Amino acid sequence: MNAGVRAINVIGNVLGQPGYHTQYQSYATSPAAGVHQLLVGILAGPGNVNQSIYELGWTDTGGLGVCNPNPICDPLVFSTLMRWGNFDVVNNAARFDAIESSPAAVPFVNANPIPSNHTLPNSFYLAGQPSWWRSMPFPAVGPDVASGNTGMCTSGTFSGIEATSPTQCAGGTFTALAWGGHANVNPAQDCYLNVMNGPPDGSGSVLSFDANSCYNGAGVGGAPPPPPPLPPAPPTNLVAVPD
């Protein structure tokens, strides 16, 4: 979130790449400076901010943590950010931090009260699991999701790439709970990896896609849902009367 990106909410996510992200956050503290927060302390000055779970308020896009003269760094990105119930691979836990959840009021942005509990809804925009989701876990990803099937190839051709089984790692090693069991593949990823048998990194030639095979066939999600109802029949015996 670069300079100018203010009053953002980050709730109920699973964040980071195991083995790559090594610091929790790096953020601007003034228009000209910032810090990098590790698990063991805070460092001042430029650094590899792109290895942070959160990059907040910087101006450069190269991941160095630079405050260019125009535009300048923005400490309000950090101070107006609301975070609650996010799992990250640096802390290896979901954070329910009252300070992070309750940024103070600033002009045009009201203060945020501390949430009353740790319960997260399955979705912030869907009333329930959609039919095309099949019987796969819903939601697929979240700090409250357990026994997720998303792992990661940890060596070989596809090292660092998501997968669901060792056979997809082309002889490399496989870690089953790379995200602590908090992540499942969604129906599209399940289709690609387990029905179309695509390589985890998307390389190779174009694959043939068949919706019936992917969304009405077998994958890691089990049996498909019943087919949707037929559309209404077209009207008959219509008469046009000129006026």
Side-chain angles (χ1 to χ4, degrees):
M1 303 176 196
N2 280 359
V5 182
R6 302 172 178 175
I8 299 297
N9 295 339
V10 183
I11 304 171
N13 297 279
V14 175
L15 304 172
Q17 174 76 5
Y20 178 78
H21 291 103
T22 56
Q23 56 190 15
Y24 179 59
Q25 60 186 357
S26 57
Y27 56 95
T29 55
S30 74
V35 298
H36 312 284
Q37 183 175 341
L38 311 174
L39 288 180
V40 294
I42 294 179
L43 303 177
N48 292 327
V49 305
N50 56 355
Q51 290 181 272
S52 304
I53 299 296
Y54 297 95
E55 303 174 39
L56 307 171
W58 305 100
T59 59
D60 71 297
T61 58
L64 298 177
V66 175
C67 297
N68 292 324
N70 187 20
I72 57 177
C73 282
D74 186 357
L76 286 176
V77 176
F78 173 77
S79 63
T80 64
L81 175 64
M82 187 272 193
R83 291 174 280 186
W84 186 250
N86 298 291
F87 174 92
D88 69 84
V89 298
V90 174
N91 290 284
N92 199 34
R95 289 176 64 88
F96 294 91
D97 188 306
I99 296 176
E100 290 185 349
S101 75
S102 304
V106 296
F108 309 109
V109 179
N110 294 328
N112 189 79
I114 298 173
S116 60
N117 58 58
H118 294 182
T119 301
L120 299 170
N122 287 342
S123 173
F124 283 104
Y125 77 104
L126 291 173
Q129 178 174 321
S131 61
W132 48 265
W133 199 266
R134 297 164 42 206
S135 60
M136 302 177 68
F138 179 84
V141 176
D144 48 355
V145 170
S147 303
N149 59 25
T150 301
M152 184 175 71
C153 301
T154 49
S155 70
T157 303
F158 304 125
S159 180
I161 307 296
E162 293 180 20
T164 60
S165 72
T167 59
Q168 295 164 357
C169 295
T173 54
F174 174 76
T175 298
L177 299 177
W179 285 270
H182 298 296
N184 290 281
V185 293
N186 61 31
Q189 189 176 10
D190 176 40
C191 166
Y192 174 76
L193 289 173
N194 298 298
V195 179
M196 299 169 68
N197 297 313
D201 68 345
S203 60
S205 59
V206 175
L207 301 177
S208 177
F209 170 73
D210 177 38
N212 286 327
S213 296
C214 273
Y215 294 101
N216 293 319
V220 300
L230 295 175
T236 59
N237 300 321
L238 295 180
V239 177
V241 178
D243 186 355

